[in-house]
Amino acid sequence: MLKTLYTAGLFMAATCMFAGKAKAQLKGFSIGPYAEIGTPVGDFKDTHNSGFGGGLNADIKLIAGFGVTGSAGFMYFSGKSYDVFDIEGNRTSVKAESIKALPVRVGLKYKFGFPLLYVKAEGGSATFVGGKSDGYKGTAAIFAPGIGIRFLGLDVEGKYEMWFKDGTSGFFGLKAGYNF
């Protein structure tokens, strides 16, 4: 895991170094790093703690307030201990497996007449890495609507993200980044 984070950090640093030149050549294009936290809801909150992650985000402006957005990153949710009961009512304490995933999202973004505020909807996939159980192997589909503000490159977004694989795991997220 440390090697993966180190590689992601190097990639983000290199991207940031060249982002200024890319923006100068492609007006309406921005790219930059982000960090996010997620608070599980529903059954997901019973088995997992709040998570964190980071990655790289890009935006391309289209016409009349519309744009295309995308991101790729890493997300981690640690597992909680919780009780399960068998048919006879006996209680056993188990610990849920931690979730490590590589989410990739693409979507549409709309800026309102007020230039700082936007809404967006993204879809994509979360590839689970390092999972031991079948529930956290393979890939989950993602849907994530959100609302945010962007001012002088600083981008802060609130969202609700759902991962679909053998049911739904959802979380409220707060994502903050800087786009060059």
Side-chain angles (χ1 to χ4, degrees), residues 69-142:
T69 185
S71 64
F74 176 79
M75 197 72 187
Y76 175 81
F77 292 94
S78 63
K80 281 184 181 179
S81 292
Y82 62 98
D83 294 332
V84 293
F85 297 89
D86 65 14
I87 296 173
E88 297 163 356
N90 299 319
R91 180 174 61 179
T92 304
S93 184
V94 296
K95 181 166 171 72
E97 180 180 353
S98 294
I99 298 174
K100 298 172 210 89
L102 303 172
V104 176
R105 309 170 195 98
V106 294
L108 291 175
K109 186 176 194 176
Y110 179 74
K111 282 187 166 186
F112 292 101
F114 184 66
L116 302 177
L117 188 64
Y118 67 82
V119 293
K120 74 179 184 180
E122 295 178 304
S125 64
T127 302
F128 297 109
V129 293
K132 294 179 184 101
S133 71
D134 288 340
Y136 301 117
K137 285 184 179 177
T139 303
I142 294 176

Side-chain angles (χ1 to χ4, degrees), residues 36 38-41 44 75 77 159-161 163 169-173:
E36 69 179 308
T39 303
V41 296
F44 190 37
M75 197 72 187
F77 292 94
K159 65 179 179 172
Y160 180 71
E161 187 161 316
W163 293 2
S169 297
F171 61 92
F172 285 107

